[in-house]
Amino acid sequence: MAVWALGINHNTAPVDLRGRFAFALDQIAPTLHSLRTNVGNSLGRQPEAAILSTCNRTEIYCAGRQHEIETTLEWLARSGQVNPAVVREHSYMLQDAGVARHAFRVASGLDSMVLGEAQILGQLKDAVRVADEAGALGTTLNQLFQRSFAVAKEVRTSTEIGAHSISMSAAAVRLAGNLFEDLTKVKVLFVGAGEMIELAATHFAARSPKGIAIANRTLERGEKLATRFGGEVMRLADLPSRLHEFDVIVSSTASQLPIIGLGAVERALKARKHRPMFMVDLAVPRDIEPEVKALEDVYLYTVDDLAHVVQTGHANRQAAVAQAEAIIDAGVQSFVHWMDQRGTVPLIQQLNQQTDEWRTVELARARKLLAKGEDIDTVLEALSRGLTQKMLHGAMAELRGGDAESRQRASTAIEHFFLRKER
């Protein structure tokens, strides 16, 4: 089996390009079907596949009879309606041990914008669950991901990799605090009701803002979050008319198009008499039109803009990273060894099948002799001699035939498999 991966992330591609390849969790199953159908055409057999898609990355993991990276890249380019050359320029392509190392680093939080963050592990588990439910996982990828979970757990328990991380939500609160001296006097609007918004609301609520509101497409889910934080709930359709009421806006939805436009923000600023607005767009694709950032009284941050805020505690982090990388190295070696062993499985199966056939023939012969009344010792002697001759026939034929070089290779193999002393 060959294993390969193709991906783009916050280090290789800007947020707008990543947005072209963002797949919501409920889109993954049909997307996997498209991927496997297209990539499988050149193989004659559909490969195993899984897709991890977050605000910071989209990664495709595959396993099949041979590496199909180029076909996978072409499929991804078509899915995002992007030139393959652009995808190639901003992506990374990995094979075999490289795939294992990358997956283990991702699961452990070493490849995240926020070093050591734990959210990615849950997102990876969700991606694996969806792939499994879609029938896209096989033995190889299942092993890869289960081992990545085990490595991540060991990294968490054996190192302090998570102790030095600052979450995106905490970074947003810190930046808001730099703009507004007293966060207890600001009103905060959260757009969306997913995990990212829940995390952000938790951090902001800890600072006791003047008011909290949740705007969501589904009121029921928004109400649950609003009740938890003592806030109000509103419809997305009410955003344009109420945007001016809020000092801080944090947005993270699964919308494929921006839901907060330049015109709406301009009108809000006018109503606010140009009091500043702090906006955080955690969505990929963007929830807030990028032109908003040019407005004089708006402070807009995307996930990429928050990168420098979360890069703190360099020395402490590096010590933890070194420990984590050692754990990952061991995990990679173990996976590669498992893959190598998998390569011998067909031969082992053939060998077992052949020896079973020999055993069946000799047992049948022995039973016939016993039925005829032959002495049991004589039958056992014939049974053992028959099995021995069948097992050695191939080796003896190689020693007696062929050229000198072939006989020498046979001699070396026979000495290794039959004549070596037990250690």
Side-chain angles (χ1 to χ4, degrees):
M1 291 293 285
V3 182
W4 68 96
L6 169 71
I8 60 171
N9 65 15
H10 57 283
N11 291 319
T12 68
V15 63
D16 288 326
L17 182 59
R18 298 203 304 274
R20 303 297 294 268
F21 305 105
F23 302 105
L25 203 58
D26 59 1
Q27 295 177 310
I28 296 295
T31 304
L32 279 170
H33 177 73
S34 170
L35 166 66
R36 299 179 72 212
T37 301
N38 283 273
V39 174
N41 283 341
S42 60
L43 293 172
R45 179 183 177 186
Q46 290 190 346
E48 301 177 33
I51 297 175
L52 171 64
S53 185
T54 74
C55 60
N56 286 331
R57 69 183 67 244
T58 292
E59 296 179 340
I60 299 169
Y61 294 85
C62 294
R65 291 179 176 175
Q66 63 189 57
H67 297 108
E68 289 282 328
I69 291 181
E70 280 301 317
T71 311
T72 308
L73 186 146
E74 289 167 5
W75 171 86
L76 183 62
R78 286 195 303 273
S79 71
Q81 297 181 320
V82 175
N83 190 301
V86 175
V87 178
R88 187 174 289 104
E89 179 185 355
H90 291 281
S91 63
Y92 40 92
M93 293 168 275
L94 306 164
Q95 295 182 12
D96 303 326
V99 176
R101 183 175 303 281
H102 182 76
F104 296 170
R105 295 186 85 254
V106 168
S108 302
L110 266 68
D111 195 62
S112 297
M113 181 181 289
V114 182
L115 183 68
E117 59 94 6
Q119 185 182 6
I120 186 64
L121 181 58
Q123 292 167 327
L124 183 58
K125 287 183 177 180
D126 284 341
V128 172
R129 174 181 55 79
V130 171
D132 189 33
E133 291 172 354
L137 284 191
T139 303
T140 303
L141 283 192
N142 189 57
Q143 271 288 323
L144 173 71
F145 291 124
Q146 294 306 319
R147 287 168 183 263
S148 74
F149 301 154
V151 166
K153 182 178 180 180
E154 186 175 355
V155 167
R156 291 273 166 206
T157 56
S158 303
T159 76
E160 295 186 1
I161 194 70
H164 311 294
S165 68
I166 301 175
S167 72
M168 303 294 283
S169 300
V173 173
R174 178 183 294 184
L175 287 171
N178 292 340
L179 179 62
F180 303 105
E181 291 184 6
D182 187 356
L183 290 183
T184 63
K185 296 180 180 179
V186 305
K187 294 185 70 176
V188 186
L189 170 65
F190 297 100
V191 184
E195 188 176 0
M196 289 292 286
I197 289 297
E198 187 175 353
L199 288 170
T202 301
H203 281 80
F204 273 97
R207 303 294 290 272
S208 303
K210 183 179 179 180
I212 288 178
I214 308 291
N216 194 51
R217 198 175 307 278
T218 306
L219 278 182
E220 182 182 357
R221 188 169 183 181
E223 283 173 352
K224 288 182 180 179
L225 208 54
T227 300
R228 175 179 169 185
F229 296 108
E232 64 169 314
V233 66
M234 56 189 281
R235 297 180 183 276
L236 285 181
D238 296 330
L239 273 180
S241 61
R242 296 197 57 188
L243 203 59
H244 67 279
E245 299 175 23
F246 301 96
D247 307 288
V248 175
I249 296 97
V250 181
S251 188
S252 180
T253 74
S255 174
Q256 294 301 303
L257 296 171
I259 57 176
I260 301 177
L262 177 63
V265 179
E266 286 177 327
R267 289 190 294 273
L269 285 173
K270 187 175 180 180
R272 290 172 60 84
K273 301 188 186 301
H274 291 275
R275 284 182 292 119
M277 296 175 73
F278 178 79
M279 308 182 79
V280 179
D281 189 349
L282 297 175
V284 179
R286 294 177 189 254
D287 276 347
I288 303 172
E289 287 187 344
E291 292 81 5
V292 169
K293 193 166 190 174
L295 296 176
E296 193 170 325
D297 297 300
V298 172
Y299 297 83
L300 172 61
Y301 293 86
T302 68
V303 287
D304 289 355
D305 295 326
L306 294 175
H308 69 281
V309 180
V310 302
Q311 301 304 320
T312 58
H314 182 75
N316 288 336
R317 287 204 317 276
Q318 290 309 306
V321 166
Q323 291 177 295
E325 294 285 12
I327 294 170
I328 288 169
D329 283 343
V332 172
Q333 291 177 14
S334 176
F335 179 73
V336 170
H337 179 65
W338 178 82
M339 286 283 287
D340 288 343
Q341 285 185 318
R342 289 273 299 167
T344 64
V345 167
L347 182 60
I348 292 172
Q349 291 173 335
Q350 291 176 27
L351 188 59
N352 284 331
Q353 182 180 354
Q354 179 64 78
T355 54
D356 279 344
E357 289 175 2
W358 290 338
R359 186 172 60 85
T360 300
V361 169
E362 292 304 320
L363 279 173
R365 183 176 297 165
R367 289 190 179 101
K368 286 182 180 179
L369 292 174
L370 288 172
K372 291 179 179 179
E374 291 284 349
D375 177 67
I376 189 167
D377 287 333
T378 303
V379 172
L380 289 175
E381 183 72 22
L383 173 66
S384 62
R385 188 179 299 109
L387 282 174
T388 302
Q389 288 175 345
K390 281 181 169 58
M391 286 188 291
L392 293 179
H393 174 74
M396 293 299 187
E398 288 295 320
L399 284 176
R400 292 170 180 150
D403 55 28
E405 185 177 350
S406 297
R407 289 196 298 274
Q408 181 57 49
R409 285 199 302 269
S411 297
T412 302
I414 289 167
E415 288 176 1
H416 178 74
F417 289 115
F418 295 106
L419 301 179
R420 65 177 180 175
K421 295 180 180 179
E422 293 296 328
R423 294 168 184 170

